[in-house]
Amino acid sequence: MQQVTYLRASTTAEAIAAFRRAGSGARYIAGGTTLYDLMKLGVERPVHLIDVSAIESADRIDTSGDRLFFGAGALMADVAENAVVRRDYPVLSESLWKAASQQLRNMATVGGNLLQRTRCPYFRNGAGGIYPCNKREPGSGCAAIGGIDRGQAVLGTSEACTAVSPGDWPVALTALDASVELNGSGGARSVPIADFYLLPGSTPEREFAILPDEIITGISVPRTAAGRHSTYHKIRDRESYAFALVSAAVALELDRGRITKAHVALGGVGTRPWRARRTEALLEGSEPMRDIALTAARAAFAEAKPGAQNRFKIELGARAIADAVVIAAEGNG
Ligand SMILES: Cc1cc2nc3c(=O)[nH]c(=O)nc-3n(C[C@H](O)[C@H](O)[C@H](O)COP(=O)(O)OP(=O)(O)OC[C@H]3O[C@@H](n4cnc5c(N)ncnc54)[C@H](O)[C@@H]3O)c2cc1C
Ligand code: SF4
């Protein structure tokens, strides 16, 4: 591995200035659970690391206002266990505690989580030219198309890339219309999470709507009554410590036993966290019954394009939504 310089920033301004000074090859780092992993695999090769985990107040969690605020440096474990989040927004808490392991959640930040990269095996294990990968080396081809595709996406794919967006927390945030708060040399801005994740199209190497020197300062989530009737339902090959085969984040507003507003997003099936708008529209006005929810859920996959081995994700994904609707409707009060 090449020599890497390391600087620990204590303010956002200091981190941005250090990034600008360092120039190309600079990367921010927080818990390091994604970045060090990819450096060991030879997929990421930064030469300057700017540690943003000790930035003052970066771990702030504020649940008191019209919008919940989670500082980018807040640990996954701390947000998952926050009492207000657990009680009023189980979908957020569950998406975090069903991710990774307790050791990782004690290290990893909710900001770094947003920028984790795909687990596509050809992306992670192909450095050194073993497998072509357009995301790792633009224009080289895609080994997953026509290769082992059981874990690949069925929604939002392109002829260049079918890699799944891996995170759980971004799926819950997508369901709740969160925004990503950014700061860089161009100033501060807020990006709706629906615009933050890019479809692969012909440029799968471009994954996030963030500029190179921009730092994620936090994530804000509008307060919603649907939080109390919400859940994150994750289906995986084993019960813990595994990424989602499919997952569903569901939050419901209910009035006299009927759904008046539905928030539904899917994980494990899309090239980005996938908002299921058609399903939401079909659910609204209906009772939260499993058979009704299953019909609505199947509409989310109307444009799915499965490969040879991942067709099962379509029905599994629809059932995950339907089960999540029933669980969410039981709610927290
Ligand atoms: C074995 C294993 C299993 C896992 N299982 C799951 C799972 O089931 N579900 C799931 O969702 N995740 C899972 N993960 C991923 C894990 O959740 C992420 O690695 C973690 O959230 C990343 O956070 P971090 O603070 O360690 O980020 P880092 O590794 O420090 O950084 C990740 C990326 O974000 C950038 N970055 C970090 N902070 C900032 C910032 N404030 N501003 C701008 N850029 C920044 C870095 O440059 C880097 O590109 C797993 C990881 C491992 C290793
Ligand atoms: S699916 Fe995407 S990440 Fe995987 S090999 Fe193809 S281009 Fe690379």
Side-chain angles (χ1 to χ4, degrees), residues 71-134:
L75 297 179
M76 288 171 71
D78 289 344
V79 177
E81 284 154 27
N82 178 279
V84 175
V85 175
R86 284 179 59 180
R87 186 192 65 209
D88 293 346
Y89 299 89
V91 65
L92 296 178
S93 171
E94 291 169 15
S95 74
L96 289 165
W97 69 253
K98 291 183 180 179
S101 63
Q102 189 61 39
Q103 290 92 333
L104 283 159
R105 294 191 294 270
N106 287 340
M107 284 290 294
T109 62
V110 294
N113 187 287
L114 298 187
L115 298 179
Q116 63 177 295
R117 306 197 67 192
T118 184
R119 309 301 285 195
C120 173
Y122 300 106
F123 169 79
R124 286 173 60 80
N125 303 317
I130 309 168
Y131 300 112
C133 170
N134 289 321

Side-chain angles (χ1 to χ4, degrees), residues 118 120-123 132-136 141-145 152 160-163 204:
T118 184
C120 173
Y122 300 106
F123 169 79
C133 170
N134 289 321
K135 197 182 277 297
R136 197 168 14 79
C142 172
I145 297 175
Q152 300 301 108
C161 181
T162 60

Side-chain angles (χ1 to χ4, degrees), residues 5 14 25 90 101 104 115 147 245 249 274 296 302 325:
T5 70
E14 189 190 337
S101 63
L104 283 159
L115 298 179
L245 276 176
W274 202 262
V325 167

Side-chain angles (χ1 to χ4, degrees), residues 27-28 30-35 100 109 113 115-116 168 216 234 243:
R27 296 298 294 273
Y28 295 123
T33 62
T34 281
L35 193 52
T109 62
N113 187 287
L115 298 179
Q116 63 177 295
D168 295 300
I216 300 175
K234 179 172 175 180
F243 285 86

Side-chain angles (χ1 to χ4, degrees), residues 187-207:
R189 65 188 181 115
S190 179
V191 180
I193 197 153
D195 300 330
F196 188 72
Y197 290 96
L198 307 176
L199 289 170
S202 58
T203 53
E205 72 281 8
R206 293 188 60 239
E207 299 173 296

